[in-house]
C-alpha cells in the first residue's frame, strides 16, 4: 500500500494545524492512528521520549519532520499520519518544520526500507512540498499525493 492509501485509510491527514508545542503535534499526529488501531498510545510517547533523549534527528532542512520510534514501541500495523502546520515549529532544538509525517512500521526492515524511503521519495520534489504547504483541505493533500 502507498503512503497516500495508508493516510486515507487511517483518516490521518490534518491540514492547517495551529500548534507551537512539538509534543502536542506528535500527539495530534498519533491520535487517528491510535483511534483506528494502527498504534498503541505508548508509540507516540516513545517518540517523545526518544526526542528528549536523543534530539530531533528526524527533522530535515526542507522543513520536514518524520518522527518515529522502534516497531516494538507499540506499532500494530504499518501506518503514516500527516500534519501540515500553519507555522513552522522546532522539535526540541531542531531546525523548524511545518510538514510532519509520523510513521510506524511493524518491523525494523520495513521501518527503514519501506517507511523512510517512501517518505523521501514522496517529498523529494520542491513543487510537491510547495503544494502541500498551500493545501487548505485534506482532500487537497490527497490530490497532491
Amino acid at each position: 500500500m502507498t503512503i497516500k492509501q495508508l493516510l486515507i485509510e487511517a483518516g490521518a491527514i490534518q491540514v492547517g494545524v495551529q500548534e507551537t508545542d512539538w509534543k502536542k503535534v506528535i500527539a495530534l499526529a498519533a491520535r487517528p492512528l491510535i483511534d483506528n488501531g494502527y498504534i498503541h498510545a505508548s508509540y507516540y510517547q516513545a517518540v517523545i521520549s526518544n526526542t528528549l533523549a536523543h534530539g530531533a534527528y528526524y527533522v530535515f532542512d526542507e522543513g520536514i519532520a518524520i518522527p518515529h520510534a522502534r516497531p516494538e514501541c507499540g506499532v500494530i500495523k504499518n501506518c503514516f499520519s500527516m500534519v501540515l502546520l500553519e507555522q513552522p515549529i522546532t522539535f526540541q532544538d531542531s531546525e523548524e518544520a511545518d510538514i510532519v509525517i509520523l510513521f510506524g512500521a511493524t518491523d525494523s526492515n520495513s521501518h527503514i526500507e519501506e517507511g523512510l524511503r517512501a517518505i523521501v521519495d514522496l517529498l523529494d520534489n520542491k513543487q510537491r512540498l510547495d503544494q502541500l504547504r498551500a493545501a487548505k483541505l485534506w482532500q487537497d493533500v490527497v490530490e497532491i499525493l
Side-chain angles (χ1 to χ4, degrees), residues 65-112:
I66 308 173
H68 56 280
R70 298 204 40 82
E72 62 271 15
C73 293
V75 177
I76 300 166
K77 297 189 278 189
N78 290 342
C79 57
F80 294 92
S81 178
M82 180 181 287
V83 175
L84 301 178
L85 297 167
E86 281 288 318
Q87 298 295 320
I89 65 167
T90 60
F91 288 70
Q92 192 71 334
D93 296 321
S94 72
E95 297 290 320
E96 290 189 327
D98 59 351
I99 297 174
V100 181
I101 301 175
L102 177 73
F103 85 95
T106 55
D107 64 72
S108 294
N109 191 38
S110 58
H111 168 90
I112 293 171

Side-chain angles (χ1 to χ4, degrees), residues 114-130:
E114 294 172 30
L116 288 175
R117 186 176 337 124
I119 294 168
V120 169
D121 289 349
L122 177 75
L123 300 177
D124 191 24
N125 177 321
K126 184 173 176 356
Q127 181 182 356
R128 188 178 294 132
L129 291 176
D130 291 343

Side-chain angles (χ1 to χ4, degrees), residues 42-61:
S42 60
Y43 186 75
Y44 88 86
Q45 293 160 346
V47 172
I48 291 171
S49 295
N50 287 346
T51 304
L52 292 170
H54 306 291
Y57 55 88
Y58 50 76
V59 176
F60 300 91
D61 290 340

